[in-house]
Amino acid sequence: MGAEKVDKEHRGIPQAVFLEDVDSYMSSTTPAKNAAAVLKDFDEQLQKYKYMELNLLQRKKRLRAQVPDIEKTLEIVKHMLKKKEEFQTHFLLSDQVHALATVPPTDRVFLWLGANVMLEYTIDEAIALLTKNLNTATVNADQLEDDLGYLSNQITTMEVNMARVYNWDFKRRKAAADK
């Protein structure tokens, strides 16, 4: 089987096809390419995969930071739902500065949505929103893990293909030199 383009994709990540027979692949390339050109094409594809991997790893890092924040906020909002009386707490002003605050009983909270946007929600709405966001973040994290595993397999396939073409070219050159 050659390395002709396969339309199979995994969430936008193209599948790398394993070169089973390097001789037939090299003779079937149109226009005819030498090993250096094929290796260059494979290296470009490998770099694309590595770029995708870098982007996915960055998204994974952001999600890992986001999930604990959502869990913490959800826990606080649920605590506020249970507490129907005034309570005192410490809250973070900046990195190493905390302040003591007295929180009156309330049925409303303000949540940061990002991009300097804060909205007021009832406690029940806030719990529903935070639960939905937590579930979405968890599903996205699972999909990222799956995508990273798939991408790792594609990177390995491309590296093996490159090694096989390099070895094929080395054997061909050695045979030509021995004649």
Side-chain angles (χ1 to χ4, degrees):
M1 176 173 184
E4 52 279 340
K5 287 280 184 191
V6 175
D7 290 335
K8 293 181 182 178
E9 288 192 359
H10 179 83
R11 290 191 200 105
I13 303 169
Q15 180 182 14
V17 178
F18 178 69
L19 289 181
E20 290 183 32
D21 185 4
V22 179
D23 282 326
S24 66
Y25 175 75
M26 293 302 287
S27 63
S28 70
T29 58
T30 51
K33 295 181 180 179
N34 62 13
V38 170
L39 286 171
K40 182 178 179 249
D41 291 345
F42 283 179
D43 187 53
E44 286 175 6
Q45 185 66 31
L46 179 64
Q47 294 311 314
K48 289 177 187 177
Y49 283 136
K50 288 188 177 189
Y51 180 74
M52 287 182 225
E53 182 182 41
L54 180 67
N55 286 334
L56 290 177
L57 287 170
Q58 288 172 344
R59 284 180 52 200
K60 180 181 171 183
K61 183 179 178 183
R62 280 193 307 266
L63 268 178
R64 280 193 173 162
Q66 188 180 35
V67 167
D69 288 344
I70 295 171
E71 289 172 338
K72 186 176 174 184
T73 304
L74 184 58
E75 180 184 327
I76 291 168
V77 172
K78 284 180 179 179
H79 179 74
M80 289 179 73
L81 181 64
K82 291 178 190 172
K83 285 275 193 180
K84 297 296 183 188
E85 60 201 42
E86 188 175 274
F87 64 95
Q88 287 192 338
T89 186
H90 289 88
F91 68 95
L92 186 66
L93 283 178
S94 64
D95 282 340
Q96 297 295 321
V97 180
H98 288 77
L100 183 65
T102 302
V103 180
T106 183
D107 64 341
R108 300 203 168 275
V109 294
F110 290 86
L111 296 177
W112 283 107
L113 300 180
N116 293 327
V117 176
M118 180 184 271
L119 286 179
E120 179 180 11
Y121 291 95
T122 65
I123 290 181
D124 292 333
E125 289 172 337
I127 289 173
L129 177 68
L130 290 168
T131 302
K132 182 183 127 244
N133 289 352
L134 182 61
N135 290 338
T136 301
T138 304
V139 167
N140 287 344
D142 292 343
Q143 285 179 347
L144 278 175
E145 284 296 325
D146 186 42
D147 289 350
L148 283 167
Y150 179 80
L151 200 50
S152 176
N153 288 339
Q154 303 317 299
I155 288 171
T156 302
T157 300
M158 289 308 298
E159 289 171 342
V160 168
N161 285 345
M162 289 174 71
R164 290 174 56 90
V165 169
Y166 180 82
N167 290 341
W168 172 85
D169 188 46
F170 180 80
K171 286 179 189 175
R172 186 181 57 84
R173 285 186 199 184
K174 186 175 180 188
D178 289 345
K179 287 185 181 182

